[in-house]
Amino acid sequence: MAFIRTSRHLLHPDSGFTLPEHEVTPRGVYEDRRSLLKGLAGAASLAATGLLSHGEAHAQANNPSPSGLAPRPGKLAALPATRSTVPGAQAIDKLTPYSDVTTYNNFYEFGTGKSDPAVNAHTLKPRPWTLVVDGEVNKPQRLGLDDLLKLAPMEERIYRLRCVEGWSMVIPWVGYSLANLIKRAEPTGNAKYVEFVTLADAKQMPGVRSSVLDWPYVEGLRLDEAMHPLTLMAFGLYGEVLPNQNGAPLRLVVPWKYGFKSAKSIVRIRLIDKPNTPSWVKAAPQEYGYFSNVNPKVDHPRWSQATERRIGDGGFFTPKKPTLMFNGYEAQVGQLYAGMDLRKFF
Ligand code: MTE
């Protein structure tokens, strides 16, 4: 079971693990995925020609996805936002094309292949949706999506997303600081940590019938991390509501941590006095830690974290980029970890 649980890494070419895909995947599935990936590779290299400015990338996003898998930009509801003034939310890197952001995903509730969520997540129903905020709070909340969308002004924030597998993207998210939501519930003095619980409905999510993870997918943050202005409750990307495969209708984005901390399709936020056990820590405690801050000096037990491959940036022959401490957000979040041994507290 441990073998299957870590299969996302075994299947990923950047993981440094050399087992060929056809040895860990049933033949039919493997061949299907190969032909799908061929189409995606073409789309990605087309989209990656030249440097795009912010505006150009948005214009590009209005073209239909060449792969045909992503929802056509312009087809999802617009989610207007103003540019964020939160320090660190205006990354200068080139944006990852919409077609890559929405077809190269990790969302195991819809399968473990990178293109599975784009293919399968049409069964997710983002409306109606209810989010509960409870636990160590004075004012527990039960909020519908319309209330959540109105709770604070929507901001566009451009963040780097660094997956623990060694790839990264630059995504213009739309949302607001999670702190807005938590403050509304008035945490008690006992609230020290926050648990994020995501949807696990086999009727909508075929992947939860598999035992690849112990469902629901859960994550956790220390309360001060959750209250940091960069910690984003995201409702959209590229100016539109989130496509299902990116975690509709609301997800977390914690840009200085490995991508698995950014839980998708959240249904409950629980304030607690002790740390919970996040899904990947439970599945493979020898490989994943509670904090999981991006750190180029602390390697994954099976591969280096010193560099990363920027998705949509020219494919496997393009040199990898150096990974930055705290994913480039050290100036904003470094003080949260003052005095901590970052090797010990992975
Ligand atoms: N959230 C849920 N519910 N299920 C998942 O499998 N995968 C995580 C994270 N959130 C995951 C999840 C991982 S490993 C990553 S890297 C990011 O989502 C990927 O987000 P993206 O597909 O929007 O790039």
Side-chain angles (χ1 to χ4, degrees):
M1 196 50 66
F3 175 76
I4 296 171
R5 278 188 173 151
T6 53
S7 64
R8 69 184 175 131
H9 305 304
L10 305 186
L11 293 176
H12 198 276
D14 284 345
S15 67
F17 196 89
T18 52
L19 194 63
E21 188 177 4
H22 62 264
E23 287 183 19
V24 291
T25 312
R27 190 179 174 85
V29 175
Y30 163 71
E31 283 174 355
D32 275 348
R33 198 187 296 151
R34 295 305 292 198
S35 54
L36 209 53
L37 288 174
K38 254 193 203 160
L40 290 178
S45 58
L46 269 181
T49 49
L51 273 172
L52 294 179
S53 71
H54 182 251
E56 285 166 336
H58 269 287
Q60 177 187 298
N62 288 324
N63 292 325
S65 153
S67 70
L69 283 179
R72 284 167 47 123
K75 291 284 173 188
L76 296 177
L79 194 55
T82 54
R83 290 293 282 280
S84 180
T85 55
V86 168
Q90 308 80 17
I92 51 165
D93 313 38
K94 184 179 79 169
L95 295 185
T96 303
Y98 183 89
S99 55
D100 289 314
V101 173
T102 56
T103 58
Y104 191 92
N105 298 104
N106 278 333
F107 200 171
Y108 277 23
E109 289 84 337
F110 296 99
T112 56
K114 290 288 177 282
S115 50
D116 289 345
V119 173
N120 298 327
H122 57 91
T123 50
L124 174 67
K125 291 192 192 71
R127 269 179 191 274
W129 196 272
T130 305
L131 174 76
V132 170
V133 186
D134 64 358
E136 287 291 347
V137 295
N138 291 320
K139 291 192 177 158
Q141 306 283 312
R142 193 179 170 80
L143 299 160
L145 190 52
D146 290 325
D147 296 330
L148 288 161
L149 290 168
K150 284 187 298 212
L151 195 130
M154 287 289 166
E155 298 173 20
E156 182 182 74
R157 300 198 182 176
I158 300 171
Y159 285 166
R160 289 175 286 271
L161 177 90
R162 168 62 157 83
C163 178
V164 74
E165 295 165 348
W167 54 265
S168 61
M169 297 194 189
V170 182
I171 303 174
W173 300 104
V174 179
Y176 49 72
S177 295
L178 172 68
N180 292 301
L181 198 51
I182 294 182
K183 276 186 206 147
R184 214 177 135 116
E186 294 184 5
T188 69
N190 293 332
K192 301 279 184 281
Y193 294 87
V194 187
E195 180 179 53
F196 301 88
V197 183
T198 72
L199 185 71
D201 177 1
K203 289 202 277 310
Q204 299 180 59
M205 302 170 136
V208 306
R209 289 189 207 108
S210 95
S211 56
V212 66
L213 284 172
D214 190 9
W215 312 106
Y217 190 102
V218 296
E219 255 309 331
L221 293 174
R222 217 170 53 190
L223 183 58
D224 59 343
E225 298 177 317
M227 297 299 282
H228 192 281
L230 280 176
T231 301
L232 183 70
M233 192 84 289
F235 297 86
L237 56 85
Y238 267 107
E240 296 180 355
V241 297
L242 285 173
N244 287 356
Q245 60 268 38
N246 292 88
L250 75 159
R251 68 172 291 172
L252 192 63
V253 186
V254 194
W256 70 94
K257 291 179 179 278
Y258 289 115
F260 64 86
K261 299 294 290 182
S262 294
K264 296 176 167 182
S265 304
I266 296 172
V267 291
R268 185 177 184 199
I269 296 177
R270 202 164 66 94
L271 283 283
I272 46 184
D273 60 349
K274 293 188 182 62
N276 66 326
T277 306
S279 291
W280 277 104
V281 176
K282 190 168 182 188
Q286 70 288 3
E287 303 204 348
Y288 304 104
Y290 182 84
F291 285 96
S292 291
N293 294 317
V294 175
N295 188 340
K297 295 195 199 107
V298 178
D299 288 339
H300 186 278
R302 289 184 282 128
W303 60 85
S304 162
Q305 293 292 22
T307 59
E308 64 200 58
R309 189 177 304 287
R310 189 58 58 79
I311 299 298
D313 212 8
F316 289 103
F317 298 111
T318 304
K320 291 182 171 189
K321 293 182 184 301
T323 288
L324 304 174
M325 187 65 202
F326 293 112
N327 203 21
Y329 300 94
E330 185 166 17
Q332 289 80 30
V333 302
Q335 77 285 356
L336 293 177
Y337 310 101
M340 272 174 68
D341 177 350
L342 296 174
R343 285 185 178 275
K344 193 165 153 216
F345 292 100
F346 167 67

